Amino acid sequence: MDAGRENKSTGMAGSEFKSPRRPRGSTKFSATIKLGALKQVLFKVRYQELLKRKLGFYEHILYINPCRPINDMSIEVYITESNKINILQVPPLRSVNPSVPVQDSANNSDVEIVRPSKKLAKITYRPPRKNEVVDGIFVVKYSVAQKEKYTGEILSSNGYFVHYFIPEKLKPMKKDILFLLDTSSSMIGRKTDQLRSAMKLILNDLTGGERFNVLDFSHKLVFWRPKMTLWSEKNKNDCLKWINQRPIGGI
């Protein structure tokens, strides 16, 4: 039967886990439908996502790419927390191009935020211009107040629960860390800059009493030092200089 000739609606929905425009681990939902005359359709997608807390903030990300102008478009995000929401930020849309700088310090002027209570929030986003293609990453960032005597947080749903807890006044443990650096030809270009920037950031976070070393691997294995080395400003700078001078591509 030809649904188009019979003036009936048919459709297909699915998801794909690999997309060149999205980070690894994200999911792209797609739907294809053929509508009969004067018919309407409503799509609903339900999913669960664990928001990871990074530097004190939770971050909810939505990729907006309808691929065509939409006359009436809006996004609503509801936040319900068991503790007080301290800081709530909605920056301008991020670009899907990773080379474009992120401007999370600014506010999105096209967003309306309503706070019914200290633990609730509603965020509504509407593009400023109609009939224009919207393409970007919509981000909501917020932090939650922690109690003085933090015993953790218990979340429950449908008979299941998860308990998050962090021991109080636990001093950081001294560590021995061996960094493995890939300097093969697959790292030529932007990946090399990312590797060196990441190592600078990580080594700056180490403290006295911790030991580290670096193993460079390509067509052979090369250690920075013959044994684990105690962290110090001098050793850190010597290591970064060595990393920046390492040849890329197995030369």
Side-chain angles (χ1 to χ4, degrees), residues 15-34:
S15 63
E16 52 185 89
F17 291 89
K18 294 182 179 180
S19 173
R21 292 169 54 84
R22 291 163 173 78
R24 181 182 303 172
S26 62
T27 302
K28 176 182 178 181
F29 297 97
S30 61
T32 303
I33 191 166
K34 187 174 184 179

Side-chain angles (χ1 to χ4, degrees), residues 195-251:
L195 180 147
R196 290 169 176 168
S197 297
M199 285 303 302
K200 181 178 180 180
L201 181 65
I202 294 172
L203 291 180
N204 281 330
D205 283 341
L206 297 185
T207 59
E210 295 180 315
R211 301 191 306 170
F212 71 103
N213 202 352
V214 179
L215 174 58
D216 177 313
F217 68 92
S218 179
H219 67 291
K220 62 179 181 179
L221 302 179
V222 180
F223 281 95
W224 167 56
R225 294 280 174 85
K227 60 181 181 180
M228 301 297 285
T229 301
L230 194 65
W231 185 94
S232 67
E233 282 290 334
K234 182 180 183 305
N235 288 335
K236 178 199 72 174
N237 293 331
D238 289 346
C239 182
L240 290 175
K241 182 178 179 180
W242 182 83
I243 291 173
N244 291 333
Q245 292 176 346
R246 293 302 300 162
I248 304 298
I251 300 175

Side-chain angles (χ1 to χ4, degrees), residues 14-212:
S15 63
E16 52 185 89
F17 291 89
K18 294 182 179 180
S19 173
R21 292 169 54 84
R22 291 163 173 78
R24 181 182 303 172
S26 62
T27 302
K28 176 182 178 181
F29 297 97
S30 61
T32 303
I33 191 166
K34 187 174 184 179
L35 287 179
L38 303 178
K39 301 291 184 179
Q40 293 184 346
V41 64
L42 174 65
F43 290 101
K44 290 186 178 181
V45 178
R46 290 181 177 269
Y47 66 96
Q48 291 182 332
E49 178 184 1
L50 177 63
L51 298 183
K52 296 182 179 180
R53 191 179 180 199
K54 183 177 181 181
L55 300 178
F57 281 86
Y58 295 104
E59 191 173 86
H60 182 54
I61 297 176
L62 293 172
Y63 291 84
I64 309 173
N65 181 230
C67 300
R68 59 176 296 176
I70 297 180
N71 183 47
D72 186 10
M73 175 181 175
S74 65
I75 295 175
E76 294 182 353
V77 177
Y78 296 85
I79 301 176
T80 303
E81 284 288 345
S82 56
N83 293 328
K84 175 185 175 182
I85 300 173
N86 268 345
I87 302 174
L88 176 57
Q89 300 174 342
V90 185
L93 291 185
R94 294 178 184 173
S95 172
V96 295
N97 185 349
S99 63
V100 177
V102 176
Q103 299 179 348
D104 279 0
S105 58
N107 294 320
N108 193 327
S109 58
D110 304 319
V111 166
E112 178 187 7
I113 299 177
V114 178
R115 298 289 302 273
S117 71
K118 295 180 179 180
K119 301 179 181 180
L120 302 175
K122 176 186 176 183
I123 300 97
T124 304
Y125 166 72
R126 291 186 176 87
R129 299 178 182 177
K130 297 183 178 181
N131 295 320
E132 286 194 0
V133 177
V134 180
D135 187 8
I137 305 174
F138 181 73
V139 179
V140 176
K141 299 175 62 176
Y142 70 95
S143 66
V144 178
Q146 301 295 329
K147 300 177 181 178
E148 292 185 3
K149 293 185 178 181
Y150 183 64
T151 57
E153 184 173 359
I154 298 179
L155 304 179
S156 61
S157 177
N158 298 326
Y160 297 90
F161 76 92
V162 57
H163 185 190
Y164 301 96
F165 64 93
I166 302 175
E168 289 186 351
K169 300 179 181 179
L170 181 64
K171 295 182 179 180
M173 298 177 62
K174 301 302 181 182
K175 300 175 286 292
D176 284 354
I177 306 175
L178 175 62
F179 297 99
L180 304 179
L181 303 187
D182 182 359
T183 57
S184 64
S185 57
S186 64
M187 297 293 290
I188 292 177
R190 183 167 173 265
K191 292 181 180 179
T192 300
D193 297 333
Q194 292 176 330
L195 180 147
R196 290 169 176 168
S197 297
M199 285 303 302
K200 181 178 180 180
L201 181 65
I202 294 172
L203 291 180
N204 281 330
D205 283 341
L206 297 185
T207 59
E210 295 180 315
R211 301 191 306 170
F212 71 103

